[in-house]
Amino acid sequence: MIVHEGLDGFGVNKLARAAGVSPATLYIYFKDREDLIIQVTLRVTQTMLEESLRDFDPDMHFEEGLRKQWHNRASHFTRNPLDVEFIEKMRYSHLYNKVSVQVYASFKDVMGKFVRNAIERKELIELPFEVYWSVAFAPLYQLIKFHTQEKTFGHQPFKLTDESMELALQLVLKALKPA
């Protein structure tokens, strides 16, 4: 409902009607509209982060670890496009800060360790984390966006393949590895 109608279009009564339950039923589980939205956002975010870290170890070599991250994220995002759209909507709302504080601490620790290890092993150039993140993941997210929309610029058909993902990953690795 939030993906299609935004936060302003979301209401507990409207949700209850769509789910075929009484609004009072929802209030058994959630104290109010904000609590419901935060709890759903937490669940979706935690699932996304767990999927991103599946079979990932921060001690992996940089190329192997980044490849695992790309495959995990691509798999989760292409299987759950509504969740991805939901998180994108929530990311720009005032409620997201309440969620991010709760879920990102451990994820940040794992990814921070991965980056530090890669820098220490001289597999990754040292740069601000935000720059690293932008270079490391923006190409993947753009490919996923093309895939989800089933088209690229100029409305050319597009389907994410292992080959296109590996080509983009190789360019990212080249950009991030020391010369």
Side-chain angles (χ1 to χ4, degrees):
M1 193 175 284
I2 289 172
V3 168
H4 297 294
E5 300 176 29
L7 279 173
D8 292 338
F10 176 78
V12 174
N13 290 337
K14 197 173 184 181
L15 175 63
R17 259 192 317 280
V21 299
S22 162
T25 302
L26 295 175
Y27 288 113
I28 292 171
Y29 301 99
F30 308 100
K31 65 181 181 184
D32 55 25
R33 175 184 181 270
E34 184 173 299
D35 182 49
L36 188 155
I37 293 168
I38 288 171
Q39 294 307 316
V40 170
T41 306
L42 276 169
R43 182 194 58 78
V44 171
T45 303
Q46 287 171 329
T47 300
M48 179 184 70
L49 295 177
E50 288 168 10
E51 289 288 315
S52 293
L53 295 176
R54 189 173 14 92
D55 300 324
F56 174 80
D57 184 332
D59 293 324
M60 288 176 153
H61 286 280
F62 182 65
E63 184 170 340
E64 176 188 15
L66 191 59
R67 181 174 283 109
K68 174 54 72 180
Q69 283 284 298
W70 273 47
H71 282 276
N72 286 351
R73 291 163 191 261
S75 175
H76 179 74
F77 288 14
T78 55
R79 281 192 334 269
N80 302 284
L82 210 55
D83 286 1
V84 175
E85 285 185 63
F86 173 73
I87 291 298
E88 281 302 305
K89 291 245 187 224
M90 293 309 301
R91 185 168 286 147
Y92 300 105
S93 80
H94 69 285
L95 298 174
Y96 198 71
N97 288 338
K98 295 177 182 184
V99 172
S100 63
V101 169
Q102 294 181 47
V103 295
Y104 283 111
S106 63
F107 183 77
K108 185 178 177 184
D109 290 344
V110 170
M111 293 308 293
K113 183 178 180 188
F114 174 64
V115 168
R116 284 189 307 278
N117 288 342
I119 290 169
E120 288 172 12
R121 289 191 301 256
K122 303 206 183 315
E123 299 171 333
L124 172 64
I125 56 176
E126 195 165 346
L127 64 168
F129 189 77
E130 296 78 9
V131 174
Y132 158 75
W133 197 266
S134 297
V135 173
F137 292 104
L140 171 65
Y141 295 151
Q142 186 60 56
L143 289 172
I144 292 168
K145 187 174 182 178
F146 286 148
H147 176 82
T148 303
Q149 295 173 347
E150 299 179 345
K151 61 185 176 229
T152 64
F153 300 114
H155 301 285
Q156 297 299 313
F158 183 82
K159 181 167 176 47
L160 182 61
T161 64
D162 288 340
E163 292 79 18
S164 60
M165 195 163 60
E166 183 63 27
L167 178 59
L169 177 60
Q170 287 303 316
L171 292 169
V172 166
L173 290 167
K174 184 177 179 180
L176 292 174
K177 287 183 178 180

